[in-house]
């Protein structure tokens, strides 16, 4: 069977000249002189416009796993939230062949419910029926490595345990488009390897994956394409080794982590 060429590939996400602008409250101090003659500081509050993404365009194809890299505050998460439909664009457009699933470290879980009940609720939210997700509880628990704690309330979990469980719930089914935003940063090496292997499985089943991470090794191990965003602009888009090497040179990094 002949290998699929770029011309044959099916586009699943198209980002077309996207701009994202926020209006946020800002506060500053200016010196004023009180009527009595004493020097006082008063606080002036106004609106400030933040241009988070500035005219970014690219197309993602079926089966690609795309690493999204850039320094803190570069606009990576804003762009992923826009692709997931959670943040409106100010200009341009985003098209997708299916609803993207965003998995982030801040994904909501109910703190007063046990891990098991959160698995069931999370599975129902992903579209499983109750029998399906109940049958998968043990598998999800084992993948997350929290067998001893699954009957305890989520409020007793560490941030790492919670993040592992969130990823395990999301990874319990295949997604046409999955966005993973720093979800692997809190796991140990063994969990990271399991997670990366699971993401490659999802990619190989014709799903498409975005991985936002500061770990260049995770990006290189998981992705077959890398997009570098800096100060809201697309700097590079291409082969992982080439883009990561350029990024490391830019940041002065000496390794991939």
């Amino acid at each position: 069977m002949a290998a699929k060429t770029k011309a044959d590939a099916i586009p699943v996400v198209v980002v077309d000249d996207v701009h994202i602008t926020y209006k946020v409250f800002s506060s500053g101090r200016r010196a004023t002189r009180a009527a009595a003659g004493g020097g006082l500081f008063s606080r002036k509050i106004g609106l400030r416009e933040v241009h988070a993404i500035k005219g970014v365009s690219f197309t993602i194809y079926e089966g690609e796993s795309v690493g999204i890299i850039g320094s803190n505050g570069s606009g990576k998460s804003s762009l992923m939230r826009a692709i997931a439909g959670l943040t409106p664009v100010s200009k341009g457009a985003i098209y997708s062949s299916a609803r993207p699933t965003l998995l982030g470290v801040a994904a909501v879980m109910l703190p007063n419910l046990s891990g098991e009940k959160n698995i069931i609720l999370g599975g129902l939210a992903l579209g499983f029926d109750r029998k399906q997700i109940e049958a998968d509880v043990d598998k999800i628990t084992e993948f997350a490595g929290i067998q001893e704690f699954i009957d305890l309330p989520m409020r007793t979990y560490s941030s790492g345990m919670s993040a592992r469980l969130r990823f395990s719930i999301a990874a319990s089914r295949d997604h046409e488009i999955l966005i993973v935003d720093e979800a692997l940063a809190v796991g140990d090496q063994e969990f990271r390897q399991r997670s990366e292997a699971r993401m490659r499985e999802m990619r190989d089943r014709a799903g498409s994956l975005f991985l936002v991470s500061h770990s260049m090794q995770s990006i290189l191990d998981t992705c077959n394409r890398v997009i570098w965003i800096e100060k809201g602009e697309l700097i590079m888009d291409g082969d992982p080794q080439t883009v990561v090497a350029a990024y490391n040179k830019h940041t002065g990094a000496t390794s991939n982590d």
Side-chain angles (χ1 to χ4, degrees), residues 14 49 55 65-66 126 130 169 187 206 210 226 237 246 250 254-255:
V14 176
E49 191 170 270
S65 52
V66 182
L126 288 173
R130 192 175 183 93
I169 293 169
F210 292 90
V226 173
D237 175 1
H250 171 78
T254 57
S255 70

Side-chain angles (χ1 to χ4, degrees), residues 228-240:
W228 173 14
I229 303 288
E230 201 67 53
K231 295 181 179 178
E233 298 180 350
L234 194 156
I235 305 299
M236 287 185 74
D237 175 1
D239 169 71

Side-chain angles (χ1 to χ4, degrees), residues 8 19 21 26 38 42 52 66 73 80-81 85 106 119 134 142 178 200 234-235 245 252 255:
D8 300 322
H19 294 253
T21 304
S26 63
S42 67
V66 182
M80 294 302 102
R81 287 181 60 82
I119 290 174
E134 286 179 345
E142 184 178 357
L178 178 63
R200 287 191 291 271
L234 194 156
I235 305 299
S255 70

Side-chain angles (χ1 to χ4, degrees), residues 83-101:
I83 291 173
L86 302 176
T87 296
V89 302
S90 307
K91 180 184 174 184
I94 297 173
Y95 308 95
S96 61
S97 62
R99 184 179 180 89
T101 300

Side-chain angles (χ1 to χ4, degrees), residues 62-171:
E62 184 180 78
E64 284 193 309
S65 52
V66 182
I68 306 294
I69 64 174
S71 58
N72 288 330
S74 61
K76 306 183 300 295
S77 292
S78 294
L79 181 58
M80 294 302 102
R81 287 181 60 82
I83 291 173
L86 302 176
T87 296
V89 302
S90 307
K91 180 184 174 184
I94 297 173
Y95 308 95
S96 61
S97 62
R99 184 179 180 89
T101 300
L102 173 62
L103 171 64
V105 293
V108 175
M109 300 193 86
L110 300 179
N112 291 325
L113 296 184
S114 68
E116 180 176 0
K117 289 183 178 178
N118 271 286
I119 290 174
I120 292 170
L121 288 175
L124 293 173
L126 288 173
F128 288 106
D129 64 39
R130 192 175 183 93
K131 286 185 178 179
Q132 285 177 313
I133 192 61
E134 286 179 345
D136 284 344
V137 165
D138 289 345
K139 180 176 67 176
I140 292 169
T141 303
E142 184 178 357
F143 191 97
I146 57 168
Q147 296 94 319
E148 297 177 24
F149 309 96
I150 195 61
D151 59 337
L152 298 179
M154 286 291 301
R155 67 174 182 271
T156 65
Y157 288 20
S158 68
S159 60
M161 291 164 61
S162 298
R164 294 200 307 272
L165 183 56
R166 280 191 288 269
F167 180 88
S168 301
I169 293 169

Side-chain angles (χ1 to χ4, degrees), residues 184 192 196 211 213 215-223 257:
L184 304 185
R192 191 167 85 174
E196 291 169 354
L211 174 60
S213 180
S215 169
M216 295 302 105
Q217 193 58 57
S218 290
I219 293 287
L220 291 172
D221 289 345
T222 307
C223 302
D257 277 313

Side-chain angles (χ1 to χ4, degrees), residues 5 10 29 37 40 48 68 82 90 92 109 115 145-146 154 168 174 188 193 196 209 211 218 239 243 245 248-249:
T5 66
I10 300 171
R29 285 184 171 182
L40 296 173
R48 179 179 174 186
I68 306 294
S90 307
M109 300 193 86
I146 57 168
M154 286 291 301
S168 301
D174 291 329
D188 57 22
Q193 289 172 351
E196 291 169 354
L209 167 75
L211 174 60
S218 290
D239 169 71
V243 179
N248 283 341
K249 183 177 180 181

